Amino acid sequence: MEENNQKKFMVTEELFVRADKRFFNFAIDMIMLSILLFIGLVIFLSNTATTPNEGKDFMNRFMANSILQYIVTSSITLVYYNFFEIFTSRTIGKFCTNTIVVDENGDNANYEAIMIRSLIRIIPLYWISFIVFPTRGLHDMISKTYVVNKNLLDERKKQFYGSPNK
């Protein structure tokens, strides 16, 4: 049996996405999450409220209950980020900015790392970590993942591994 002693590609700082692109990822994803929340509330209300007043009462209770708001928005956030990042390594924001979530070797991050990233995102005020570390948030550091420019990553990996022999 032949051993694979081939050197592994490693993500370097030159591949990291700048803070402005990270902000655009965040903004686009927040818009998508807001749309999902709105659609979810409309569907919920259309299936449960039998009178207009009942729907209005629910919305008043929802707006007054910050714990319920946190539970609902956290659930939507977890589903959104897990679904997109587990299956594509990219959210809609990352598709728009041509960025991708990878591990230290530039490969798609595993399920556990994505789950950790998503769970950290629901910690209130976690985003403050971007003030201290503009290119890597707390969710990146703890999950040992990186958000990088997809085209540049593909180019660097191709250079590193070279073209396959034919």
Side-chain angles (χ1 to χ4, degrees):
M1 198 172 213
E2 191 177 313
E3 276 188 44
N4 186 358
N5 292 329
Q6 186 174 359
K7 192 174 167 187
K8 286 269 193 184
F9 178 86
M10 297 296 287
V11 171
T12 58
E13 280 191 45
E14 74 166 328
L15 297 171
F16 293 1
V17 175
R18 294 186 333 249
D20 60 338
K21 255 191 189 179
R22 296 294 302 253
F23 176 77
F24 285 123
N25 288 344
F26 176 76
I28 293 165
D29 290 333
M30 288 302 104
I31 291 168
M32 295 309 301
L33 287 168
S34 297
I35 291 169
L36 289 173
L37 175 63
F38 177 77
I39 291 170
L41 287 173
V42 167
I43 290 170
F44 178 78
L45 286 174
S46 68
N47 288 326
T48 59
T50 55
T51 67
N53 283 341
E54 194 175 32
K56 188 176 180 180
D57 290 342
F58 170 80
M59 286 307 295
N60 286 336
R61 285 193 311 273
F62 179 76
M63 296 307 290
N65 188 337
S66 57
I67 293 172
L68 180 59
Q69 289 174 27
Y70 177 77
I71 290 168
V72 170
T73 57
S74 293
S75 299
I76 292 170
T77 299
L78 288 172
V79 169
Y80 175 81
Y81 281 104
N82 284 332
F83 176 80
F84 280 103
E85 290 186 348
I86 287 170
F87 293 107
T88 67
S89 295
R90 305 165 89 181
T91 60
I92 293 173
K94 290 177 187 71
F95 274 107
C96 292
T97 61
N98 199 31
T99 58
I100 190 168
V101 178
V102 296
D103 65 12
E104 66 186 353
N105 299 120
D107 298 324
N108 292 347
N110 64 35
Y111 174 81
E112 292 82 15
I114 298 301
M115 289 295 292
I116 291 168
R117 285 173 61 82
S118 298
L119 287 170
I120 292 169
R121 282 184 171 110
I122 64 171
I123 296 171
L125 304 177
Y126 96 94
W127 53 268
I128 290 175
S129 65
F130 280 103
I131 295 169
V132 180
F133 307 104
T135 58
R136 286 194 80 209
L138 185 63
H139 64 301
D140 297 316
M141 290 182 277
I142 293 175
S143 66
K144 298 178 183 160
T145 58
Y146 304 87
V147 176
V148 298
N149 178 299
K150 185 176 180 341
N151 290 343
L152 187 57
L153 172 69
D154 293 343
E155 180 183 314
R156 292 294 184 268
K157 284 180 83 171
K158 187 176 178 181
Q159 290 171 355
F160 182 83
Y161 291 115
S163 299
N165 294 334
K166 293 188 176 186

